[in-house]
Amino acid sequence: MKFSSLSIAAIAALSAPMALVSASSFPSITIKGNAFYNGTDRFYIRGVDYQPGGSSAAADPLSDADGCSRDLEYFQGLGINAIRVYTVDNSADHSKCMNMLQNAGIYVILDVNTPKNSINRADPAPSYNAAYLQSVFATIDAFKNYPNVLGFFAANEVINSENTTNAAPYVKAVIRDMKTYIQAQSPRSIPVGYSAADIAVNRWEQMQYFNCGDDENARLDMFGMNDYSWCGDSSFVQSGWSANVQQYSSYSVPLFLSEFGCNLVTPREFTEVKALYNTEMTSVYSGGLVYEYSQEASNYGLVEINGDNITTLQDYTNLKNAFASTPDPTGTGGATTSNKIAQCPPQSSDWAVDPDAALPAMPQGAETYIKNGAGKPLGLNGPSTQWGESSSNDDTNAEAVSASASASAAASTSAAASATATPSSHKKSSDATSNATPVIALVIAGVGATLAGFF
Ligand SMILES: *[C@@H]1O[C@H](CO)[C@@H](O)[C@H](O)[C@H]1NC(C)=O
Ligand SMILES: *[C@@H]1O[C@H](CO)[C@@H](O)[C@H](O)[C@H]1NC(C)=O
Ligand SMILES: *[C@@H]1O[C@H](CO)[C@@H](O)[C@H](O)[C@H]1NC(C)=O
């Protein structure tokens, strides 16, 4: 174990009960207009995506205190202030990791879905049920008391093509339900967002849809986009980011890159960091998170993990240097509070959602959670909710499902990293397992294998 260069604070946090860490002096992130703030300062996300083992392992890195203390010094070495985690076990204890991160000034953005509990893009209606919401709400309960939770993602990349937009109303209903739950059951307001796939075909419609309508609770608080369009020594214009800044300049809530770092050219130089934290972008974007901390099959790692040992890769050093040589802009960096909410997008061949249709109502059985709390967390081994409240063969399916997630995750990332940001099946998070039956899973794994061969 490499404890030698851990900070005193981190070691203290390892053994300190949660109550001893003062929450009051730690500034939780707030949102004003299209920007984040920590206290009165504008806050830019400088982060990495953190899921050692990848999506297939479906392991909770925030309940692994040894893993957190192993990795913390490397987070600090990079100079980051945020991590995104895709899968957690809502029945586990997260206090040691969360306190270590807090003491290091590192915020957490958390996806609330798991391989067994998420909106199923292939058949969204049955997957939106009370048992699913219980899982989501119990995850909010598990994290709502940590001041360094920056926000929750209601979903990741559920819409990943022009023909999966029927899932959008269910995702928006989950955003609404999470915001309602947080208002009723959380000691503070915590932002709720969506993380969009790197697809050009209807990203703008997604941005509009999740930010439109009279019901404030159903509009997201922040929008993350996975964006691999800056490859190698690209530029603000060539990457398409300049055009995005123009198109998105009217957006009323914070925008950031929930994944970035194209790996078509390696080692990655991260020349995009200079643009992302420059005023040419900060009037519209609030930073981002590099995909990803650990080296996995998809080859996006900054470090190699071997048990307790970390080996930094060239990408780690390059990112560290890019961050170190790129300060945040002074002042507010062009943030605005005057933008208006969006118009719900009209239907088109790329967007099937009727702008006037009501959102799905919260399933009746879920209302008690809003009033009384979510109750007992069921963790990662509870029943699958993706085909309804529960199905009889959940346990037998579990292994086939996670095996498929592994195959598709490994294969799809290289397909996603296209310089032209074409539609991709960039599946790494828990939502990647939306297709949760062995039959469909095997088909997806097969497609993944084909793609892997091709790329
Ligand atoms: C707010 O965040 C910025 C950027 O990460 C940092 O420089 C500053 O010290 C933070 N301020 C507070 C009060 O934590
Ligand atoms: C979407 O279209 C693609 C390509 O035509 C097809 O393979 C896929 O099955 C469709 N997905 C859904 C959910 O209809
Ligand atoms: C970690 O490093 C130590 C010291 O170099 C070595 O003895 C050990 O075998 C390594 N462990 C793994 C899992 O690589």
Side-chain angles (χ1 to χ4, degrees), residues 16-162:
M18 185 189 154
L20 292 184
V21 177
S22 162
S24 52
S25 59
F26 187 87
S28 291
I29 300 297
T30 54
I31 291 175
K32 252 189 315 181
N34 73 344
F36 296 113
Y37 295 84
N38 55 349
T40 53
D41 293 338
R42 178 145 182 217
F43 180 82
Y44 299 93
I45 295 169
R46 288 178 181 242
V48 298
D49 296 310
Y50 183 58
Q51 195 75 41
S55 62
S56 57
D60 175 357
L62 297 178
S63 63
D64 176 3
D66 289 343
C68 285
S69 63
R70 174 197 63 204
D71 296 331
L72 187 69
E73 61 177 300
Y74 296 93
F75 293 163
Q76 292 179 302
L78 283 171
I80 59 172
N81 61 19
I83 59 172
R84 173 189 183 182
V85 174
Y86 294 86
T87 302
V88 291
D89 175 345
N90 59 19
S91 68
D93 176 12
H94 304 98
S95 57
K96 286 178 178 160
C97 282
M98 291 303 289
N99 287 325
M100 263 185 258
L101 292 165
Q102 180 185 328
N103 284 326
I106 295 173
Y107 294 85
V108 175
I109 301 171
L110 194 63
D111 288 73
V112 296
N113 296 287
T114 74
K116 289 178 161 187
N117 309 111
S118 61
I119 294 295
N120 179 351
R121 69 169 72 83
D123 192 7
S127 66
Y128 177 63
N129 56 62
Y132 165 64
L133 289 177
Q134 194 276 338
S135 169
V136 170
F137 295 161
T139 301
I140 293 174
D141 284 347
F143 286 90
K144 67 190 181 186
N145 290 314
Y146 299 115
N148 57 328
V149 172
L150 187 156
F152 295 111
F153 278 139
N156 176 59
E157 300 193 352
V158 171
I159 300 144
N160 65 355
S161 61
E162 65 277 16

Side-chain angles (χ1 to χ4, degrees), residues 1-2 52 70-71 293-295 303-313:
M1 298 263 264
K2 297 178 70 183
R70 174 197 63 204
D71 296 331
Y293 176 70
S294 57
Q295 182 71 305
V303 309
E304 194 109 48
I305 302 178
N306 274 306
D308 294 332
N309 301 342
I310 298 289
T311 309
T312 58
L313 303 173

